[in-house]
Amino acid sequence: MTLRFVGILFLCLSCSGILSLICYSLRIIKTAGGRPFVFFMASVFIYSLGYMLELSGNSAESIFFALKIEYLGIPFIPVFWFLFAFEYNQYRIKSRLLHASLFTIPAITLVLFYTTNEYHLYYSKFDVDVSGSFPVASFAKGAWYYVQFAYAQALSLAGVVLFFDMTRKSKGYRKRQANVIFLASIIPWCGNALEQLGVTLPGIDMIPFYLALPIPAFSLAMARMMMFNIAPIARTKVFETMQTPVLVLDKDFNIADFNEFASKVLPELTQASIGLGAREVLQERDGFMDRITTAGDAPTEVELRYRDDTIHFSVSATKILSSRGNDLGFAVLLYDITENKRLMKALHKMASLDALTQVCSRRFFMDSCMIEINRVVRYGGNLPFLLIDIDHFKKVNDTFGHIAGDLVLQNVTSTFRKVLRASDIIGRYGGEEFAILLPETDLEGARRLAERLCNEVRSTTTSCDGDAIKVTISVGVAFFSTGERMWKESGQALLEALLKASDQALYRAKSNGRDQVQCAELSPEA
């Protein structure tokens, strides 16, 4: 009686868990593998519910009624399991006829079970054994039973193999999802093998219990690993196809992940290197890890050989934090600035630098801006534009002389370059005015950088003939982001809009007392 009661209680809890999982899964039914997963869990629920009624039955009629409920789910469990594994691995059965044919044997099984008394093909004999502590179904297997058994085992094994293959091929979220699902899938399969070998409890069909054991694993995969969620799949796809090398390190600087382009630039990165120390793997790259550890707010540059050419990269390391703010590691991004380097060399040859400050002349700055602006107009992105004015610069010239004024201009631009990334574009817009374009930076990032420029200039002193000269700057930030809508006009129109908006923001900064940052945001409809 105790074993029977424990079994009924376990199945009751199992049915509750399965039903909750089904309800939770309905919201993802349209994702890859979502529909067969829901039907798979529904079939398991019907089987478990029926077996719970079977254990509760005390007569042949009630037990056979419970079996009829069970067999509404039993034959279809392996089919839906296989379809779930097949579709979750991004495969599709295009032929409706082939798809329907998978259900042929289960449908025949259902019909033959319901006609056991007439044809005896599934069970050749059915009875109730009352010799134990509680009545249990007793039957002799018919010819079709072995057909259904072989078919179910083949589909179940195929599903397990598909998820095992997924564990080998996937990365990131998908790999963790595959590992959990694969480990969960072998539990009922192994349990079924034990059942067939006779390793079971007396009078108890253990299969419903084995099918219930993976439920916590599926719940974990859905709640914590975003199973069926397209976001991690999309992230993985973007991560793998982006043309920017990305290296993910844990907090101890061990290699956690990398994208395909990173492995091309750094051939030392292989699947075998995951989990190893980055310094050990990249030890032949002189100073590479030293530059990474110092990258961050102050980006650094590295040179790497790729396809018999030297590629220049700007390296930035972004901290990866957990939802609780715990430090998990770093995402190291290597931005290809080779063209920028070559362009800068061409600038010097063409005398396109401002002779005094050694930043871009106004004309070359505008030309460089148009390249980035046209890219954003065509493909979308973020585009902050900074217009900077040195406060009371005329007073510096009047008080200390024009030589001192020139030194201040040089000192201020030198300070700018220490803060800016190699990919940022800076130019002398006029007299004491400068303009900066920050490719692919959000508004908050642009505002923080502008405030940092203000702080750095404020703390910088220019010495001239024994005089210590301090100045401040005012910054107007104009920000444009395509968002969901693209800019409909020309790149030149966008540049003019950025200039106008940044000039108005700069005017507000000066009107409000100078030495500050004011922002203006453009919309695609502007």
Side-chain angles (χ1 to χ4, degrees), residues 339-396:
E339 289 303 317
N340 284 13
K341 286 284 187 181
R342 292 172 181 168
L343 189 58
M344 288 302 293
K345 289 180 181 179
L347 273 175
H348 286 284
K349 291 180 181 179
M350 297 167 58
S352 296
L353 293 176
D354 178 71
L356 177 64
T357 61
Q358 293 299 296
V359 298
C360 296
S361 65
R362 176 167 176 165
R363 178 176 179 179
F364 190 81
F365 172 78
M366 291 300 189
D367 291 341
S368 301
C369 284
M370 283 306 303
I371 295 174
E372 182 63 18
I373 287 172
N374 286 332
R375 185 190 68 80
V376 170
V377 169
R378 187 175 297 113
Y379 303 112
N382 297 332
L383 202 63
F385 188 93
L386 278 60
L387 195 58
I388 303 170
D389 185 78
I390 301 176
D391 299 326
H392 302 297
F393 184 74
K394 184 176 183 302
K395 186 177 180 181
V396 172

Side-chain angles (χ1 to χ4, degrees), residues 47 55 438:
Y47 182 17
L55 284 179
L438 306 173

Side-chain angles (χ1 to χ4, degrees), residues 99-114:
H99 192 279
S101 67
L102 292 172
F103 294 88
T104 302
I105 291 179
I108 294 174
T109 298
L110 182 63
V111 172
L112 292 180
F113 173 78
Y114 272 76

Side-chain angles (χ1 to χ4, degrees), residues 141-398:
K141 300 169 184 176
W144 189 260
Y145 177 92
Y146 296 99
V147 175
Q148 170 64 30
F149 175 79
Y151 184 67
Q153 292 302 301
L155 288 182
S156 299
L157 181 60
V160 173
V161 170
L162 282 169
F163 280 117
F164 175 73
D165 188 56
M166 185 177 172
T167 62
R168 297 188 303 107
K169 294 181 178 178
S170 303
K171 289 183 179 181
Y173 272 103
R174 293 286 282 178
K175 187 174 185 66
R176 287 190 287 274
Q177 291 171 357
N179 287 336
V180 171
I181 299 172
F182 170 69
L183 292 175
S185 67
I186 62 176
I187 295 174
W189 196 79
C190 293
N192 188 44
L194 292 175
E195 182 83 5
Q196 298 305 316
L197 292 172
V199 182
T200 184
L201 295 175
I204 296 291
D205 178 7
M206 292 299 297
I207 300 301
F209 300 94
Y210 291 131
L211 287 171
L213 292 178
I215 293 175
F218 286 132
S219 300
L220 173 67
M222 295 180 73
R224 299 296 299 275
M225 298 181 182
M226 292 184 281
M227 174 179 164
F228 297 115
N229 192 329
I230 196 173
I233 301 172
R235 290 191 196 108
T236 300
K237 191 69 175 178
V238 171
F239 180 74
E240 285 299 323
T241 57
M242 65 190 298
Q243 294 299 302
T244 298
V246 182
L247 175 62
V248 182
L249 307 176
D250 65 20
K251 61 182 179 181
D252 298 318
F253 290 95
N254 297 316
I255 297 172
D257 202 358
F258 53 87
N259 66 354
E260 183 179 353
F261 198 51
S263 63
K264 290 180 179 179
V265 176
L266 298 166
E268 300 92 334
L269 296 176
T270 63
Q271 286 300 308
S273 65
I274 291 179
L276 300 179
R279 288 186 180 278
E280 175 188 351
V281 174
L282 303 172
Q283 58 183 334
E284 298 299 324
R285 304 283 178 171
D286 294 336
F288 181 75
M289 284 305 299
D290 292 331
R291 288 184 173 91
I292 286 179
T293 54
T294 58
D297 291 338
T300 186
E301 294 182 17
V302 296
E303 294 181 5
L304 298 173
R305 296 291 298 175
Y306 177 58
R307 292 181 179 175
D308 299 324
D309 196 6
T310 299
I311 308 296
H312 298 265
F313 291 99
S314 174
V315 182
S316 64
T318 304
K319 281 189 176 182
I320 302 173
L321 303 177
S322 70
S323 57
R324 297 182 179 180
N326 297 324
D327 189 1
L328 299 179
F330 305 87
V332 181
L333 285 81
L334 289 80
Y335 297 100
D336 186 350
I337 58 170
T338 306
E339 289 303 317
N340 284 13
K341 286 284 187 181
R342 292 172 181 168
L343 189 58
M344 288 302 293
K345 289 180 181 179
L347 273 175
H348 286 284
K349 291 180 181 179
M350 297 167 58
S352 296
L353 293 176
D354 178 71
L356 177 64
T357 61
Q358 293 299 296
V359 298
C360 296
S361 65
R362 176 167 176 165
R363 178 176 179 179
F364 190 81
F365 172 78
M366 291 300 189
D367 291 341
S368 301
C369 284
M370 283 306 303
I371 295 174
E372 182 63 18
I373 287 172
N374 286 332
R375 185 190 68 80
V376 170
V377 169
R378 187 175 297 113
Y379 303 112
N382 297 332
L383 202 63
F385 188 93
L386 278 60
L387 195 58
I388 303 170
D389 185 78
I390 301 176
D391 299 326
H392 302 297
F393 184 74
K394 184 176 183 302
K395 186 177 180 181
V396 172
N397 282 332
D398 293 342

